[in-house]
Amino acid sequence: MASSFSSTTDAEGDIKGQITILGFGSLLSIKSARLTFPSLQNFRLGRIPNHRRVFSHPASIFFQRGIARMDTLEMSSLCAEYKEGHSFICSVFEVPNEGLTAIASDGEGTGEWIPSRAFLEREEEFEIAMVPYEEFGLSDDCAASGVPRRMETSVSSTASVSASNSTASDDTVKYGVLCRRSTDESYLAHWGEAHFQKQYLDYGVKTIWNWDEDSGLRPCQVYTRHCVLASEGIGGACQDSFLDDTYLVDRRTTLREYLNQYPEIMTTEPPEELKERYGG
């Protein structure tokens, strides 16, 4: 997930107290987005350039909810990492700018921000970095892509929607605060050893971010199914991007290839108590 201040004159300006959120995993689902941001508006699509979407780290919440599988290493969540030449389609929406304070930003992805407490706790393991993103406008070829039509029928009752299949609406550069790959050292410095013990070591996980490309780390099944269903709900280019622009920890295998190898992921429903949260 990521965010940026909405502005017509300043890409980093605070206008009318709103902030723009970019979702690259579960926040592709407007239902999931509303669990975290009940007041979201204007749900649509965008693209994050020079970043790659990767299943590369275990998420503590998966252990807490009983959906991580340590025996098969199916416990990974998504992150974004800087990689020139890569990009992926994301969701975009506005929320009230409450509790977000800019510290610094240089437009190159090295700025830091302090988010609201709920945002911070949800994304505690990530580096929160300011990066440019491309805003999509209304598409002239929406019928060809299928994206806006499907979004209009699925979410227009709860959000104002616009989208495009692959073309940015203008040349204006906007900036978002992207939840990006971090380090164990940064996590420990921010949250402390006791928190790391509770969130990871107690579950037998000795590292968050030091899983190498040959580690065998795999996506959490329940979370993966949820995100795929969310992308299917939008359809078109968003669905294709999620399948083809999302990689496993080896940075070679796409999610589409992985699901072709393990199709049972999409037919295995989450536990009853999590069906609403992880229902796409």
Side-chain angles (χ1 to χ4, degrees):
M1 182 178 64
S3 59
S4 72
F5 288 120
S6 300
S7 173
T8 56
T9 58
D10 182 350
E12 299 167 13
D14 181 5
I15 298 298
K16 297 181 180 179
Q18 287 192 327
I19 201 165
T20 301
I21 303 295
L22 310 182
F24 58 78
S26 63
L27 293 187
L28 291 173
S29 162
I30 192 171
K31 184 166 58 177
S32 285
R34 284 197 177 279
L35 290 175
T36 304
F37 304 104
S39 301
L40 73 84
Q41 300 176 18
N42 200 22
F43 197 92
R44 60 201 186 279
L45 298 181
R47 180 180 290 275
I48 301 174
N50 294 319
H51 282 79
R52 180 167 53 191
R53 181 166 43 199
V54 186
F55 284 100
S56 65
H57 75 286
S60 177
I61 193 66
F62 296 162
F63 290 92
Q64 296 170 39
R65 293 175 176 165
I67 59 175
R69 294 187 60 186
M70 191 69 173
D71 57 335
T72 61
L73 297 183
E74 291 173 283
M75 56 188 186
S76 180
S77 185
L78 283 168
C79 77
E81 59 184 21
Y82 182 80
K83 184 65 176 180
E84 289 187 9
H86 283 256
S87 69
F88 56 83
I89 290 177
C90 62
S91 63
V92 185
F93 53 88
E94 276 73 48
V95 298
N97 177 26
E98 299 173 352
L100 272 140
T101 303
I103 306 174
S105 65
D106 60 8
E108 298 297 330
T110 59
E112 293 185 31
W113 292 68
I114 296 179
S116 65
R117 186 67 185 179
F119 185 11
L120 184 63
E121 290 177 351
R122 175 192 168 101
E123 314 293 355
E124 67 174 22
E125 71 267 32
F126 295 98
E127 173 200 18
I128 302 179
M130 181 166 290
V131 301
Y133 76 94
E134 299 168 359
E135 181 87 40
F136 286 173
L138 289 171
S139 173
D140 293 332
D141 57 352
C142 60
S145 72
V147 181
R149 297 302 185 197
R150 293 179 67 175
M151 287 184 69
E152 286 169 1
T153 58
S154 62
V155 302
S156 61
S157 62
T158 54
S160 173
V161 177
S162 64
S164 169
N165 62 325
S166 61
T167 305
S169 59
D170 55 43
D171 295 329
T172 302
V173 177
K174 297 185 178 182
Y175 293 88
V177 180
L178 180 65
C179 291
R180 197 159 64 168
R181 179 181 179 85
S182 185
T183 64
D184 287 4
E185 291 75 17
S186 178
Y187 184 94
L188 286 166
H190 188 84
W191 294 99
E193 293 185 5
H195 192 72
F196 182 66
Q197 176 76 42
K198 176 183 176 182
Q199 297 292 86
Y200 290 95
L201 292 178
D202 286 352
Y203 294 107
V205 179
K206 297 180 180 180
T207 179
I208 305 171
W209 295 107
N210 293 331
W211 298 83
D212 62 37
E213 295 183 359
D214 298 321
S215 64
L217 185 68
R218 298 167 61 185
C220 171
Q221 286 195 20
V222 170
Y223 172 75
T224 301
R225 177 181 178 273
H226 170 57
C227 294
V228 172
L229 290 176
S231 72
E232 287 180 355
I234 298 174
C238 179
Q239 180 180 358
D240 287 339
S241 176
F242 193 74
L243 294 174
D244 298 324
D245 298 328
T246 302
Y247 295 86
L248 268 63
V249 70
D250 63 9
R251 274 74 170 179
R252 298 184 301 273
T253 305
T254 66
L255 181 57
R256 188 187 297 274
E257 293 169 337
Y258 182 72
L259 292 176
N260 285 338
Q261 187 177 0
Y262 299 99
E264 66 274 11
I265 291 174
M266 295 307 300
T267 59
T268 304
E269 294 191 357
E272 188 67 34
E273 66 275 14
L274 296 175
K275 282 187 176 180
E276 180 67 20
R277 178 174 290 274
Y278 289 106

